[in-house]
Amino acid sequence: MDIISMRSISKDEITSLIDLAEKIEFRSIDINISDRLVALLFFEPSTRTAFSFDTAIKRLGGKTLLMQEAKSSSVQKGESFADTIKTVSQYVDAIVIRSAVEGAARYTSEIVDIPVINAGDGANQHPTQALLDLYTIKKRQGTVENRKVAIVGDLRYGRAVYSLVYGLAKFNVELYLISPEHLQIRPYVRDELDAMGITYHQGDDISSVLEEVDIMYVTRIQRERFAGQYEYEKVKDSYQITRDMIEACNLKENFTLMHPLPRVNEITTDVDSLPCAHYFQQAKNGVYMRQAVMATLLGAV
Ligand code: CP
């Protein structure tokens, strides 16, 4: 089994992973992968995903090989991506891979015989981010079913957004897609939401939806996905959630503010101490969910 895209993970599989993450967090299950070694290949920068996979595997007793840039490998001498991956797969029991190239994780899964986990491929997918997001929603709201969720920011290039939308869609949610016009979600996703019967609203105004939703999921405008600085400058400060804005609203009782992080300035730091701010808890939940993912893929449960 591989984890490449939220499109191909069923609702039952998501629910099982959430249940397992909960058992791991509350220590009602013992899992040991002390005889397993996992390669963490990060060809793009990462703080949370790389370190939380490393933490998750080590907390289960396993070991990791961490490659954080291609220039520390023989890619620098002209070795192909395929040869590098096939070679690494001779040493380890699973591969976690992040790349700026869309499809890199799927390609990897096609050329090796061990489980592959997509830790983010370009603007395409980041499935374990969505799984930890769904775990966070379940913990905070009691259920993912029928939630009203606003997703704000870069909906065009945000891989966390695409994975989350496909994950949420399996739970009959209502979506509010808030972005500048140039960063709207890609049309084929809207078509798929229509086909799945998911109600969604599109707009560019946060304040009109703050009091409507159970969850607001804010994302960064990603400088690295723009063709040039000028295009980025035009939209970079489109949204900012402030403490004053939150405190002026009559929010739902369990309103939850999430962000996959890193943030730039789209949520001011004075929001962090509000009870609704869940983004650092979300990062912590990533360890439990990634323990659940590794244990499942390595056949340890
Ligand atoms: N959320 C997330 O993917 O963060 P990193 O880029 O730091 O891994």
Side-chain angles (χ1 to χ4, degrees):
M1 182 186 174
D2 306 303
I3 295 201
I4 305 297
S5 166
M6 286 306 284
R7 296 169 88 156
S8 48
I9 302 177
S10 70
K11 183 175 176 180
D12 282 351
E13 287 167 333
I14 295 170
T15 305
S16 295
L17 286 167
I18 288 175
D19 290 347
L20 182 56
E22 193 167 41
K23 285 184 189 149
I24 290 168
E25 178 172 0
F26 296 101
R27 297 171 190 267
S28 63
I29 190 167
D30 248 347
I31 302 168
N32 189 319
I33 58 165
S34 57
D35 56 345
R36 305 302 178 88
L37 181 59
V38 179
L40 306 178
L41 307 181
F42 280 74
F43 298 113
E44 234 194 5
S46 169
T47 299
R48 279 143 292 273
T49 313
F51 289 133
S52 66
F53 264 115
D54 200 24
T55 306
I57 293 158
K58 287 172 177 164
R59 287 217 176 135
L60 295 175
K63 294 179 181 61
T64 58
L65 292 179
L66 179 59
M67 190 203 297
Q68 281 195 299
E69 44 186 12
K71 67 179 182 220
S72 66
S73 75
S74 286
V75 169
Q76 191 68 6
K77 300 179 210 158
E79 186 172 45
S80 71
F81 177 77
D83 283 0
T84 302
I85 297 295
K86 283 185 199 165
T87 303
V88 170
S89 77
Q90 309 304 312
Y91 307 143
V92 296
D93 300 291
I95 290 176
V96 177
I97 181 165
R98 168 171 290 190
S99 170
V101 180
E102 293 187 25
R106 185 166 303 284
Y107 176 65
T108 299
S109 72
E110 286 167 359
I111 63 170
V112 302
D113 298 324
I114 56 176
V116 174
I117 300 169
N118 182 3
D121 62 325
N124 184 33
Q125 283 274 324
H126 192 355
T128 61
Q129 177 68 49
L131 290 167
L132 76 88
D133 294 338
L134 295 171
Y135 180 45
T136 302
I137 293 170
K138 164 71 171 32
K139 274 174 72 177
R140 169 82 172 163
Q141 303 267 331
T143 179
V144 185
E145 298 283 352
N146 303 313
R147 299 298 84 191
K148 290 188 175 192
V149 185
I151 307 181
V152 176
D154 178 359
L155 308 191
R156 183 170 182 78
Y157 300 115
R159 59 192 173 204
V161 168
Y162 286 94
S163 288
L164 183 61
V165 164
Y166 285 109
L168 287 170
K170 298 172 205 284
F171 293 86
N172 196 33
V173 295
E174 186 169 340
L175 294 174
Y176 296 74
L177 304 171
I178 311 294
S179 69
E181 194 184 343
H182 296 305
L183 295 178
Q184 284 180 354
I185 206 156
R186 295 173 209 175
Y188 75 84
V189 180
R190 294 201 300 266
D191 293 344
E192 291 187 41
L193 290 174
D194 286 334
M196 288 185 274
I198 297 298
T199 303
Y200 64 88
H201 317 270
Q202 277 196 285
D204 60 6
D205 179 22
I206 297 175
S207 55
S208 65
V209 304
L210 259 171
E211 297 186 2
E212 292 289 318
V213 299
D214 301 292
I215 295 132
M216 180 164 278
Y217 190 97
V218 183
T219 64
R220 174 176 65 100
I221 310 284
Q222 303 173 93
R223 186 177 47 208
E224 66 272 29
R225 308 275 177 237
F226 285 80
Q229 186 68 15
Y230 176 69
E231 284 76 18
Y232 171 67
E233 292 287 335
K234 275 197 297 192
V235 290
K236 75 180 172 71
D237 292 321
S238 302
Y239 301 100
Q240 189 171 61
I241 312 267
T242 64
R243 192 180 182 107
D244 287 348
M245 190 188 284
I246 299 267
E247 287 181 339
C249 284
N250 186 19
L251 299 168
K252 288 195 174 179
E253 191 184 334
N254 231 6
F255 173 79
T256 307
L257 186 63
M258 297 174 65
H259 192 309
L261 303 177
R263 77 173 145 190
V264 182
N265 57 6
E266 52 283 346
I267 302 177
T268 56
T269 53
D270 59 358
V271 175
D272 298 358
S273 56
L274 292 175
C276 67
H278 256 58
Y279 24 93
F280 291 108
Q281 184 62 47
Q282 198 179 334
K284 184 174 183 180
N285 291 338
V287 175
Y288 306 124
M289 179 48 80
R290 288 175 173 129
Q291 283 179 278
V293 166
M294 289 313 317
T296 303
L297 263 59
L298 292 172
V301 281

